[in-house]
């Protein structure tokens, strides 16, 4: 199979790679099939590309890579709809927002994680009222430092750029 996307051009994939979100994502109910692939080599970020609407792609993370003390509770109805039987069959990711021109202000939506059953590739965005939909990914102390370095033109050096 393949899709012609606006961001990545032609993407070829196997149907087994598709993640099915039967209810879509909040605000994007028409996108129900997605591909997920790394943002770059050794990156903690991933792309979540819509198969149904090729112009739609999100940056996502495994939130546990950034916040070790998270605990997401999956309600019984949600677990049943995904046919979740074992905790080791679960993967969770959250969507990332990067304000244009202000990468130091990137944040993730911990209030709306996407739970995926890796066995059947079915997923669902759930709601977690205990967490913020706009959780900063970069601590306050580092944000001001990065902002200052960006103003002085050293941002690429900090991020390991060339």
């Amino acid at each position: 199979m393949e899709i012609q996307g606006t961001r990545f051009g032609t993407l070829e994939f196997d149907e087994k790679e598709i993640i099915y979100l039967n209810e879509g994502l909040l605000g994007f109910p028409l996108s129900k099939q997605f591909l997920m692939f790394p943002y770059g080599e050794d990156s903690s970020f991933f792309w979540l590309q819509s198969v149904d609407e090729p112009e739609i792609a999100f940056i996502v993370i495994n939130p546990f890579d950034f916040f070790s003390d998270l605990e997401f509770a999956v309600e019984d109805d949600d677990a049943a709809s995904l046919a979740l039987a074992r905790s080791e069959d679960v993967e969770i990711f959250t969507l990332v927002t990067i304000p244009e021109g202000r990468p130091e202000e990137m944040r993730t939506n911990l209030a709306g994680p996407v739970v995926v059953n890796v066995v059947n590739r079915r997923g669902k965005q759930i709601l977690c009222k205990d967490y913020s939909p706009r959780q900063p990914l970069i601590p306050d102390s580092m944000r001001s430092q990065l902002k200052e370095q960006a103003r002085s033109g050293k941002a690429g050096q900090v991020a390991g750029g060339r």
Side-chain angles (χ1 to χ4, degrees):
M1 301 178 74
E2 71 177 38
I3 57 171
Q4 182 67 38
T6 54
R7 183 177 302 265
F8 304 107
T10 302
L11 290 174
E12 294 184 22
F13 59 96
D14 190 309
E15 188 173 349
K16 293 183 281 188
E17 298 176 72
I18 296 175
I19 297 171
Y20 296 92
L21 305 178
N22 290 338
E23 298 173 20
L25 296 169
L26 294 174
F28 299 91
L30 301 178
S31 288
K32 297 181 181 200
Q33 301 178 86
F34 291 90
L35 300 172
M36 192 158 72
F37 50 91
Y39 185 89
E41 193 172 318
D42 297 328
S43 177
S44 296
F45 296 85
F46 297 85
W47 285 106
L48 185 67
Q49 169 68 57
S50 171
V51 173
D52 302 309
E53 298 178 276
E55 68 279 6
I56 295 176
F58 301 95
I59 297 174
V60 298
I61 59 168
N62 175 339
F64 299 104
D65 289 347
F66 292 83
F67 309 100
S68 61
D69 58 345
L70 293 175
E71 290 186 25
F72 294 113
V74 179
E75 300 291 329
D76 290 343
D77 290 345
D78 292 330
S81 72
L82 299 174
L84 282 174
R86 305 176 322 158
S87 61
E88 54 267 23
D89 295 338
V90 175
E91 282 191 9
I92 295 177
F93 58 86
T94 56
L95 281 71
V96 173
T97 300
I98 304 173
E100 188 171 336
R102 301 186 321 271
E104 70 279 359
E105 295 179 21
M106 74 173 79
R107 57 192 180 272
T108 193
N109 181 359
L110 294 180
V114 178
V115 177
V116 177
N117 180 336
V118 295
V119 175
N120 63 20
R121 311 283 298 168
R122 287 194 282 168
K124 181 175 187 174
Q125 188 170 26
I126 64 172
L127 297 178
C128 295
K129 294 179 181 175
D130 295 338
Y131 295 114
S132 171
R134 301 172 48 90
Q135 176 64 46
L137 283 178
I138 298 174
D140 284 339
S141 59
M142 290 181 68
R143 250 184 282 157
S144 58
Q145 178 185 0
L146 289 172
K147 192 180 289 185
E148 184 60 36
Q149 288 173 337
R151 278 191 214 127
S152 65
K154 296 179 180 176
Q157 295 172 0
V158 171
R162 297 179 187 159

